[in-house]
Amino acid sequence: MVEHDSPHLDAVFHALADGTRRRMLRSLGGQPRSVGELAAPFRISLAAASKHIKVLERAGLVTRQIQGRTHLCHLQPQALAEGDAWLRQYEQFWTARLDALEAVLQADDATLAPSSRKAR
């Protein structure tokens, strides 16, 4: 069961709420990247990029490894599991509702088909 009042879940969704951070996560999917590499596509300062990365770190989505002056960021995809589980609850809800709607629409089509032939 997914806990609805989880501070971790709040942190994950807060981190994902920003498009810059989502794009940073996507770019980390293939390999670790430095703060400079993560900042480059956005025309933001290293300080601004670091602030975004700190939000991702607090959510557990990224870890930072320091090698001399270089900070390498690594994606931690397992941190998305709680958010994914929460979203799946709603996916099941909407799937059931859409299946019910489809059944009603198909039943309407079946009842309208004979009468539409008579009109011709």
Side-chain angles (χ1 to χ4, degrees), residues 46-107:
L46 293 180
S50 188
K51 286 181 181 182
H52 281 295
I53 293 165
K54 285 178 185 175
V55 172
L56 294 169
E57 285 178 305
R58 281 193 295 273
L61 296 167
V62 167
T63 57
R64 194 185 309 218
Q65 175 187 15
I66 301 172
Q67 296 178 342
R69 292 175 48 146
T70 303
H71 290 221
L72 281 179
C73 298
H74 300 264
L75 178 65
Q76 301 299 315
Q78 67 277 12
L80 291 168
E82 188 177 357
D84 182 53
W86 187 84
L87 289 169
R88 285 187 187 277
Q89 292 177 359
Y90 292 94
E91 176 185 22
Q92 292 170 358
F93 169 82
W94 284 110
T95 299
R97 297 303 185 272
L98 291 171
D99 288 346
L101 176 61
E102 182 179 27
V104 169
L105 293 173
Q106 286 178 351

Side-chain angles (χ1 to χ4, degrees), residues 4-81:
H4 293 280
D5 292 326
S6 163
H8 178 257
L9 187 61
D10 293 346
V12 168
F13 283 121
H14 171 73
L16 296 175
D18 184 87
T20 299
R21 291 191 288 267
R22 288 191 306 271
R23 286 182 55 200
M24 285 179 167
L25 285 176
R26 186 179 315 131
S27 73
L28 288 170
Q31 66 184 26
R33 301 209 184 270
S34 70
V35 173
E37 290 172 324
L38 290 173
F42 305 105
R43 294 184 181 175
I44 58 175
S45 67
L46 293 180
S50 188
K51 286 181 181 182
H52 281 295
I53 293 165
K54 285 178 185 175
V55 172
L56 294 169
E57 285 178 305
R58 281 193 295 273
L61 296 167
V62 167
T63 57
R64 194 185 309 218
Q65 175 187 15
I66 301 172
Q67 296 178 342
R69 292 175 48 146
T70 303
H71 290 221
L72 281 179
C73 298
H74 300 264
L75 178 65
Q76 301 299 315
Q78 67 277 12
L80 291 168

